[in-house]
Amino acid sequence: MPVTLDRVEVVLGARRILGPLSLSLLPGSLTVVVGPNGAGKSTLVRAISGERPATGGSVRHDGADVAAMPAARLAGLRAVLPQASTVAFPFTVYEIVSLGLRMRAGLSPAGRRRAVAAALAAVDLEDFGARLYPELSGGEQQRVQLARVLCQVGDAVGEAGPKLLILDEPTASLDVRHQLDVLSIAKDFAEAGGVALAVLHDLNLAAGFADRMLVLDRGRLAADDAPDRVLSSGVLTQVFGVAMTVLSPQGWPRPAILPDLSACRSAPRG
Amino acid sequence: MSGRAGGLAAVRPAGDRRFDEAVALIVLLAGVVLVGILALGVGPSGLSPARVLDILRAGPQTADFPSGEVIIVWQIRLPRILMGALIGAVLALAGAVMQGLFRNPLADPGIVGVSSGAALGAVAMIVLAGGPLAGIAALLGSYALPLAAFCGGLAATCLLYAIATRGGITSVATMLLAGIAIGAFSAAIMGFLIFSSNDTQLRDITFWSLGGLGGATWQKLFVAGPVMLAVVAAAPFLARGLDTMVLGEAEAFHMGLKVERLKRLSIFLVAAATGAAVAVSGIIGFVGIVVPHLLRLAVGANHGFLLPASALAGALLLILADMGARVLVAPAELPIGIITAALGAPFFLWLLLRRRDLTGF
Ligand SMILES: Nc1ncnc2c1ncn2[C@@H]1O[C@H](COP(=O)(O)OP(=O)(O)OP(=O)(O)O)[C@@H](O)[C@H]1O
Ligand SMILES: [Mg+2]
């Protein structure tokens, strides 16, 4: 039982931002969190990663309380892809990615080089090693960060058990091909026995890749189910306040979802 | 040829600059030693580098050379150059550490009020030595001024930290703004002290505040040197943490860094470095901005390289600037702070303008 949340809640001042919610994240599956802006998705992710511990309840990784775990130990159990990272100094892509190996002490120099090269290849940036990070495009920077995160997690299952990969809006600045790449990476990580958790705004990507979908609404869990059941339940329409049509094109493995364009304020006419 | 290059490339992946960094460190080290020897010979009575080396080898008590030359090399120039090298090293280091901590290449101990605090300490001692602080001044003798500057710098840093830290979390933005406020407040008190000082005190203040190495002696070196050496020795331990911080505090935490501990260590290091430097030589500006930036542009931004390289290049820069100070208007001497500011301020402006093109701030 790698990651369990037990009555987790985040209360800031008088405002309840999250919870209380209880759930477990299981190895072998990619869990996708969706929900409106401000629903508490990033807050949930921060509580799980230990970055900003929950104010109530507990998050346990293999039984150990995340809030009480030293940063170094946590770093060996999970890696987190931030929404966007600016770097003010002229570090090369190679140097940024190899920062991910910081806590992996057992690697030989050749092993480190191979790990960096493999991570760069995984995000389709083989030839970018010598480029300066601040000069990359936003999407390229995001992929470099993903490569760094992949270096940090290493194998999906470590000596201490399955690891956790957390991606907060990993596709936000990526083109469609690399969106698919990133989610495939998360999916592969899960299939290799790891725990994968991603926050997404694109409902079709969520439906296409998730093994399990969590719908957050104003800090509460509005749905927690397989994607097709979530889609057909109408909960998304309710939560987002937009009518949606669920399509199941023939020969298409997953359902697709179309928001009703006339529901937005300046709907295209005709 | 191509096979060899291919072999090298296999060992050194693109973007891995550690080899260049090692070469640059060796070049800088050699530069410091060479320029140091050169500087020992430069001045009102010039000595060739070979003669300087001979005198150095013969030792301070030697009778094989004219005693005037021995005294110039051993008692006057050597402590001065060592002091200059150490001050340059810690000033550049303080800048590099502060910039890494703030993730901003424009950060500098001068900006967060540490230098101002140290300056306030010194000015207060100069002005109040004749009044309320007379007892302390008499007790400490010539150490009174340096110690006061040191205390002022440390006090500014502690105050800064107390303001900018809430519940164990230091906000970099608050810290920068608080630094500006502390600097302004120190300047206000300093202004009042200067306003109420007499002519002699005014002259002392002016000379001290321009910065200079003219007063460097072995005795002063033995007081401040160990502190500065400790700073130089401790800095490399921050390197990996500062590298991680480059991505942001949250990411640094995610990668396993004890963020708060790194911040505290960095702040303490900066306070010690700046306090010691300002105490000895007054305010010598812009070393901490110029040196790390040039090194990042020329070689690399990795702190494992940047910190030791900043120390070496800062030493080099200050030895050169001090040489200029002694030579440019000989037989008089320019305050060294004038030289570093004259070089550094335009550079800082250029940096500012260039950054606006690049990143829009
Ligand atoms: N430090 C904070 N202080 C006060 N309120 C906060 C803080 N952090 C987050 N919140 C509030 O908590 C709520 C949830 O924020 P969170 O960032 O988790 O939303 P989200 O679901 O990730 O939204 P988005 O889709 O925009 O990324 C928001 O209303 C936000 O204003
Ligand atoms: Mg968010």
Side-chain angles (χ1 to χ4, degrees):
Chain A
M1 190 70 33
V3 184
T4 49
L5 282 70
D6 183 23
R7 276 163 294 149
V8 164
E9 59 182 354
V10 174
V11 180
L12 290 180
R15 271 190 70 202
R16 175 178 295 273
I17 289 168
L18 185 71
L21 52 88
S22 303
L23 53 91
S24 319
L25 299 174
L26 301 174
S29 86
L30 166 60
T31 304
V32 169
V33 185
V34 300
N37 290 141
K41 304 181 293 297
S42 295
T43 305
L44 173 66
V45 156
R46 288 196 195 100
I48 294 175
S49 73
E51 178 190 334
R52 187 148 15 101
T55 54
S58 68
V59 176
R60 292 176 183 279
H61 203 124
D62 265 332
D65 195 335
V66 160
M69 235 188 270
R73 179 151 168 242
L74 267 175
L77 295 174
R78 60 98 183 91
V80 184
L81 180 73
Q83 265 186 275
S85 259
T86 54
V87 172
F89 304 116
F91 278 77
T92 63
V93 166
Y94 180 89
E95 289 164 348
I96 294 286
V97 175
S98 48
L99 284 178
L101 298 174
R102 190 176 172 270
M103 300 310 290
R104 293 187 41 203
L107 279 180
S108 68
R112 303 177 87 83
R113 282 196 293 273
R114 271 198 301 278
V116 173
L120 281 175
V123 298
D124 198 20
L125 291 175
E126 288 98 332
D127 300 328
F128 277 62
R131 295 278 299 275
L132 292 180
Y133 181 89
E135 294 173 359
L136 300 181
S137 78
E140 288 164 349
Q141 291 187 343
Q142 188 71 354
R143 279 148 62 202
V144 171
Q145 294 295 340
L146 179 62
R148 171 182 65 75
V149 166
L150 292 177
C151 271
Q152 186 186 333
V153 277
D155 297 324
V157 182
E159 280 159 27
K163 295 188 196 163
L164 171 62
L165 178 64
I166 300 177
L167 311 171
D168 192 356
E169 299 190 31
T171 58
S173 48
L174 301 188
D175 63 55
V176 64
R177 143 101 201 277
H178 290 111
Q179 292 185 1
L180 300 180
D181 280 357
V182 166
L183 287 167
S184 303
I185 287 172
K187 189 92 174 161
D188 289 348
F189 183 84
E191 268 160 19
V195 185
L197 178 69
V199 175
L200 292 178
H201 276 302
D202 186 322
L203 297 173
N204 282 306
L205 281 177
F209 283 89
D211 297 308
R212 173 184 180 190
M213 216 161 143
L214 305 179
V215 183
L216 266 189
D217 182 28
R218 282 164 290 175
R220 306 208 167 252
L221 210 49
D224 172 4
D225 215 332
D228 33 5
R229 279 207 289 273
V230 169
L231 260 54
S232 57
S233 70
V235 67
L236 294 176
T237 296
Q238 203 183 335
V239 162
F240 287 99
V242 177
M244 306 208 199
T245 312
V246 179
L247 307 169
S248 300
Q250 264 207 322
W252 215 252
R254 295 278 185 127
I257 189 156
L258 260 183
D260 178 1
L261 296 185
S262 65
C264 65
R265 258 171 290 169
S266 57
R269 270 169 250 258
Chain B
M1 177 72 204
S2 69
R4 192 182 142 81
L8 269 180
V11 177
R12 259 200 294 149
D16 184 354
R17 297 183 285 192
R18 277 173 298 181
F19 180 77
D20 308 319
E21 291 168 354
V23 171
L25 281 176
I26 293 169
V27 169
L28 280 171
L29 183 62
V32 171
V33 173
L34 285 179
V35 171
I37 290 170
L38 201 69
L40 279 172
V42 171
S45 57
L47 299 167
S48 74
R51 190 152 180 92
V52 165
L53 279 177
D54 287 341
I55 296 174
L56 280 181
R57 257 198 302 267
Q61 317 295 354
T62 183
D64 302 346
F65 297 90
S67 67
E69 288 182 14
V70 177
I71 287 177
I72 283 177
V73 169
W74 273 100
Q75 302 305 330
I76 298 178
R77 290 190 193 150
L78 188 57
R80 176 174 183 150
I81 285 164
L82 288 177
M83 187 73 102
L86 276 174
I87 288 173
V90 296
L91 286 178
L93 262 181
V97 170
M98 199 104 260
Q99 286 148 30
L101 186 66
F102 287 165
R103 315 191 326 109
N104 187 327
L106 301 177
D108 181 77
I111 292 172
V112 295
V114 180
S115 307
S116 307
L120 175 60
V123 168
M125 185 52 82
I126 292 172
V127 175
L128 302 180
L133 295 182
I136 298 174
L139 188 70
L140 295 171
S142 60
Y143 290 101
L145 180 78
L147 267 174
F150 184 74
C151 292
L154 262 179
T157 317
C158 293
L159 181 63
L160 184 73
Y161 192 70
I163 293 171
T165 304
R166 287 271 174 281
I169 308 286
T170 306
S171 152
V172 163
T174 314
M175 189 156 167
L176 275 173
L177 293 172
I180 292 171
I182 290 175
F185 190 63
S186 304
I189 301 179
M190 231 169 352
F192 177 75
L193 285 171
I194 291 172
F195 171 75
S196 58
S197 65
N198 62 35
D199 284 353
T200 333
Q201 292 166 340
L202 206 56
R203 211 201 57 214
D204 287 349
I205 292 170
T206 309
F207 265 90
W208 175 84
S209 69
L210 285 172
L213 296 169
T217 58
W218 283 110
Q219 193 199 20
K220 282 192 184 175
L221 192 59
F222 286 138
V223 174
V227 177
M228 298 198 269
L229 274 179
V231 166
V232 173
F237 292 101
L238 300 177
R240 291 217 308 171
L242 288 174
D243 276 344
T244 318
M245 281 284 280
V246 146
L247 297 165
E249 287 180 26
E251 284 71 40
F253 167 75
H254 291 146
M255 283 192 281
L257 181 74
K258 291 191 186 107
V259 175
E260 290 307 317
R261 199 186 63 157
L262 179 87
K263 284 188 194 170
R264 271 196 293 274
L265 285 176
S266 302
I267 288 167
F268 184 79
L269 191 100
V270 167
T274 315
V278 171
V280 176
S281 60
I283 290 179
I284 299 178
F286 294 100
V287 178
I289 283 272
V290 173
V291 167
H293 197 84
L294 284 181
L295 289 169
R296 279 193 211 98
L297 277 184
V299 187
N302 257 323
H303 288 88
F305 158 77
L306 188 69
L307 297 183
S310 290
L312 289 171
L316 190 63
L317 179 69
L318 224 64
I319 295 175
L320 281 170
D322 183 48
M323 210 150 72
R326 287 186 282 139
V327 170
L328 285 178
V329 294
E333 225 176 69
L334 266 182
I336 192 171
I338 289 182
I339 294 188
T340 59
L343 293 175
F347 177 87
F348 184 68
L349 285 177
W350 170 77
L351 204 70
L352 219 57
L353 296 172
R354 201 172 146 274
R355 284 191 62 80
R356 204 164 53 197
D357 294 345
L358 278 179
T359 60
F361 87 84

